[in-house]
Amino acid sequence: MQNPAQIPARSVDPVLLQTNMTTAMLLWQRFVARLMVASSQNPQDAGEDNSFTTAIARWGVNLFLHPTAVMQANMELFKSQANLWQHTTARMFGLGHLSPGIPAITDRRFKHPAWQEHQFTEVLLQSYLNMSTYWRTLAQTANGLSEQDAKKAEFFINSMIDALAPNNYSHTNPQVWQSILDSNGENLVKGMQNLLDDFQDGQLRIRMTDMKAFELGRDIATTPGKVVFQNELLELIQYTPTTDKVRQRPVLIVPPWINKYYILDLREKNSFVKWSVAQGNTVFMISWVNPDSQHRKLSFEDYMQAAIAAMDAVEAATGERDLNLIGYCLGGTLTAATLAYLKACGDERVKSATFFTTLLDFAEPGEIGVFLSEKQINSLEKRMDKQGYLDGKDMGAAFNMLRSNDLIWSFFINLYLLGNDPMPFDLLYWNSDSTRMPAAMHSFYLRNMYLNNNLSKPNGITLSGTPIDLGKIDTPAYFVSTHDDHIAPWRSTYQGAKLFSGPVRFVLGQSGHIAGIVNPAAANKYGHWVNEELCADADDWLFEANKVDLSWWHDWDRWVAEFSSEEVEARIPGAGKLEVLGDAPGTYVRQKV
């Protein structure tokens, strides 16, 4: 079906328009009925976390203690609105050249020309922006509040401001008005059909992309390889070499299990795996199981032991005990904990370790911290106890809320107001292909990392009966973080890099948590900063750093080559002591939530 927003403009058919408007209303009523049934079947738990409402209440009371700040904000709002009405009046009488002027619209949500074409929408939009500034100013009036309450209140207020934007509603979005006229209301019918299709299991799951457009092994995760090892927690993929000679030491990648491994093997043009193989590396990838209720007792140390089992399997497949490790995000946190454990056990097989956007010091975890108080974790643990895991879609929703305009409202408008079909996009397909988190492991992770920051403390965590200390890790390490990362803020990852006692190279890429890492060397879309010194302060490091207008992949390849200077004949999967169990991408990655 052709997207309604792409249908060529045509004259309005009053009968067809009325028919479509009625149909859309009936579909809306059906959605509301389903929503009410779902609400009645899932009553709110009496023990449900109310941290945000409590924080907002405390913030509201706190405002009474700051009358000067409130008065100043009121005066700024009055001034902005007065300028707007003077501007509007001048335009009405054709005297726009005498207008005091209003700020230029730079918010990309309102880039459509229709927002400036109509005087009504200009007033509506500018009033919204003025009110947004007013409430954001008040949200930052937090003296007297705890840091946690202040951050929660500000996050809640900003979320409400974003939700109330006029572009999120059909009756205040001129782009939707135009689409209604152009399609005789077909966009609303299709939009309501999309809304009903996305309302599954009593919850609205907004489709970010066309989930039928891709197939694992066909369009994404296509780098040739074989599964050569499997246990309860992982499958190990050995990729087929594309060079006659390879570096002697193999590379083992430890991805996060919050999402699936193929973020590093999306398409041929942006696959880090394919590129790394082409540089002459023997690459192994862990593909984690997608846990369910039977895995509820899996612990963080179980994941660590599984990673060590994967190292043993790499040795069996290649005959090489020494190897280079790569850890991404949570996989990097596990990698660091594993290195500390191996160090305590006298195991020196890891000759270099690379960390992609990895938090090790959780003192300042970034925006995600608004969801991670003691009370919130208690509430989450009660939910996990019921099913044995945290549903990946619930976790994804929390991350999406941190960037609601980009990851919620933009799709809401496109799907439900404009009636468009979701566009096929490999990165969003991966983002929507979520995984679960075992209850025991996730509780340990949240409490020991985010809540108490024990990983950064010497002997603060004990794994498999062994206290671990990141400060004793002397393995050469390469940390790459990204400047705009809101999940693993780079200044926090920088503090983690300083915990090691061995040589550390820190590199800062442009862009965010995913795009800054999946930054193909052939495209060089984003550059990076380098500084040979690891300064005491992160901002000092950046101030003294040099900008390089290339992907950081080039820099990493030169660095890791230093730890594997010898070359050997290319290793074919299955030629070693491990038999081939199946083709990449394996079976675990195909398990759905």
Side-chain angles (χ1 to χ4, degrees):
M1 179 179 178
Q2 188 176 12
N3 284 348
Q6 298 173 348
I7 296 175
R10 59 177 184 262
S11 60
V12 176
D13 183 334
V15 175
L16 180 58
L17 177 60
Q18 180 61 41
T19 300
N20 283 331
M21 295 291 282
T22 302
T23 302
M25 181 58 67
L26 292 174
L27 290 171
W28 169 254
Q29 291 174 354
R30 191 186 304 175
F31 168 75
V32 172
R34 289 187 184 180
L35 182 63
M36 293 177 65
V37 170
S39 298
S40 64
Q41 292 176 345
N42 299 285
Q44 185 173 3
D45 191 335
E48 194 75 18
D49 170 63
N50 60 353
S51 297
F52 284 103
T53 53
T54 300
I56 280 292
R58 291 172 178 167
W59 167 82
V61 171
N62 188 64
L63 282 183
F64 285 103
L65 304 178
H66 300 86
T68 301
V70 174
M71 180 64 71
Q72 185 175 355
N74 288 340
M75 291 299 295
E76 288 297 323
L77 175 62
F78 177 81
K79 179 181 176 181
S80 298
Q81 285 299 102
N83 285 343
L84 173 60
W85 286 114
Q86 290 178 37
H87 170 78
T88 303
T89 303
R91 281 192 60 187
M92 287 177 60
F93 290 99
L95 301 173
H97 61 287
L98 300 178
S99 164
I102 56 175
I105 306 300
T106 58
D107 193 321
R108 62 182 180 178
R109 291 175 293 173
F110 309 109
K111 64 182 180 180
H112 195 276
W115 287 102
Q116 278 76 47
E117 290 174 357
H118 304 283
Q119 193 164 347
F120 167 75
T121 53
E122 182 185 55
V123 173
L124 176 68
L125 170 57
Q126 196 60 52
S127 295
Y128 164 74
L129 294 176
N130 290 344
M131 291 298 296
S132 298
T133 301
Y134 172 75
W135 283 108
R136 292 188 202 279
T137 300
L138 291 181
Q140 293 171 3
T141 306
N143 290 337
L145 290 177
S146 69
E147 182 180 0
Q148 198 171 85
D149 280 342
K151 289 181 177 179
K152 282 181 167 56
E154 184 174 9
F155 175 81
F156 184 89
I157 292 169
N158 287 337
S159 296
M160 292 302 297
I161 291 171
D162 293 341
L164 293 172
N167 59 317
N168 296 336
Y169 302 90
S170 59
H171 56 286
T172 52
N173 187 332
Q175 187 178 358
V176 177
W177 304 344
Q178 190 61 52
S179 184
I180 291 172
L181 295 177
D182 291 345
S183 69
N184 284 302
E186 290 178 17
N187 64 304
L188 295 181
V189 174
K190 182 64 187 329
M192 292 303 99
Q193 290 172 339
N194 286 340
L195 186 66
L196 285 168
D197 290 343
D198 291 354
F199 191 75
Q200 303 292 335
D201 302 322
Q203 296 187 48
L204 181 62
R205 305 291 191 184
I206 301 176
R207 285 172 296 158
M208 293 183 173
T209 187
D210 182 359
M211 295 301 289
K212 298 179 181 179
F214 301 97
E215 181 180 327
L216 289 171
R218 184 194 70 189
D219 311 288
I220 49 180
T222 59
T223 301
K226 304 292 182 181
V227 176
V228 295
F229 176 76
Q230 182 188 77
N231 62 23
E232 181 188 16
L233 261 175
L234 62 82
E235 288 182 327
L236 185 66
I237 299 169
Q238 180 181 355
Y239 290 97
T240 303
T242 56
T243 55
D244 294 334
K245 298 282 188 178
V246 295
R247 293 166 178 167
Q248 183 175 354
R249 286 178 185 153
V251 173
L252 172 63
I253 302 177
V254 184
W257 53 97
I258 290 177
N259 287 97
K260 296 182 178 178
Y261 82 84
Y262 63 87
I263 184 58
L264 295 175
D265 188 27
L266 283 174
R267 308 258 202 143
E268 287 189 14
K269 64 181 182 180
N270 59 6
S271 170
F272 177 81
V273 168
K274 179 179 175 62
W275 175 85
S276 186
V277 169
Q279 307 315 302
N281 293 302
T282 303
V283 178
F284 290 80
M285 174 73 76
I286 290 176
S287 175
W288 299 104
V289 73
N290 194 351
D292 54 28
S293 56
Q294 68 177 327
H295 299 103
R296 65 170 58 239
K297 294 184 178 180
L298 283 176
S299 65
F300 191 84
E301 65 184 30
D302 288 329
Y303 277 83
M304 182 189 73
Q305 291 297 342
I308 294 173
M311 295 182 202
D312 294 338
V314 169
E315 180 181 1
T318 64
E320 284 291 331
R321 181 163 179 80
D322 295 345
L323 76 165
N324 298 312
L325 277 184
I326 298 176
Y328 192 171
C329 190
L330 174 55
T333 306
L334 178 68
T335 296
T338 304
L339 286 176
Y341 174 81
L342 293 176
K343 183 67 177 180
C345 296
D347 190 328
E348 302 284 349
R349 75 177 94 176
V350 180
K351 298 306 177 184
S352 80
T354 300
F355 298 89
F356 297 169
T357 60
T358 296
L359 279 172
L360 300 179
D361 186 329
F362 290 77
E364 296 292 338
E367 297 173 36
I368 195 66
V370 298
F371 298 113
L372 297 172
S373 67
E374 175 71 40
K375 189 171 183 180
Q376 288 167 303
I377 293 177
N378 281 336
S379 177
L380 182 60
E381 287 172 336
K382 291 177 182 177
R383 288 169 51 198
M384 291 193 296
D385 284 344
K386 293 179 181 178
Q387 50 193 8
Y389 57 83
L390 175 64
D391 193 305
K393 293 178 179 178
D394 292 336
M395 186 161 47
F399 283 114
N400 290 345
M401 287 179 67
L402 299 178
R403 291 291 182 271
S404 61
N405 285 328
D406 293 331
L407 298 177
I408 297 177
W409 294 114
S410 63
F411 296 100
F412 181 92
I413 295 166
N414 187 57
L415 293 175
Y416 310 141
L417 302 187
L418 297 177
N420 292 325
D421 292 321
M423 296 291 292
F425 186 19
D426 54 2
L427 181 58
L428 291 177
Y429 178 92
W430 166 83
N431 189 60
S432 300
D433 189 12
S434 56
T435 58
R436 309 177 191 92
M437 301 285 274
M441 185 288 305
H442 200 50
S443 177
F444 178 92
Y445 175 58
L446 294 180
R447 288 190 172 280
N448 284 278
M449 294 6 170
Y450 281 98
L451 196 60
N452 298 315
N453 197 20
N454 287 333
L455 183 62
S456 67
K457 302 171 184 176
N459 302 320
I461 288 179
T462 297
L463 296 174
S464 297
T466 302
I468 64 171
D469 182 358
L470 299 188
K472 294 183 179 179
I473 297 175
D474 55 6
T475 304
Y478 186 102
F479 281 78
V480 56
S481 298
T482 53
H483 188 274
D484 301 326
D485 195 335
H486 65 287
I487 296 173
W490 80 268
R491 290 176 178 84
S492 296
T493 63
Y494 185 88
Q495 294 304 315
K498 290 165 55 183
L499 294 172
F500 290 6
S501 57
V504 172
R505 181 171 180 79
F506 188 88
V507 172
L508 182 63
Q510 291 180 300
S511 194
H513 192 74
I514 302 300
I517 297 300
V518 185
N519 182 22
N524 293 312
K525 184 176 182 180
Y526 302 111
H528 63 279
W529 290 270
V530 295
N531 186 342
E532 303 302 327
E533 299 296 325
L534 202 63
C535 304
D537 180 76
D539 289 311
D540 289 341
W541 179 94
L542 181 58
F543 180 78
E544 298 173 9
N546 295 315
K547 175 75 181 302
V548 180
D549 293 324
L550 296 171
S551 167
W552 62 267
W553 290 16
H554 302 283
D555 185 80
W556 173 81
D557 185 58
R558 289 191 295 271
W559 179 85
V560 79
E562 297 176 6
F563 304 99
S564 189
S565 57
E566 299 296 323
E567 289 190 338
V568 297
E569 293 296 322
R571 305 174 175 110
I572 306 301
K577 295 181 180 179
L578 299 181
E579 297 181 358
V580 170
L581 303 179
D583 293 330
T587 59
Y588 282 5
V589 73
R590 300 180 190 275
Q591 298 168 342
K592 298 290 185 179
V593 170

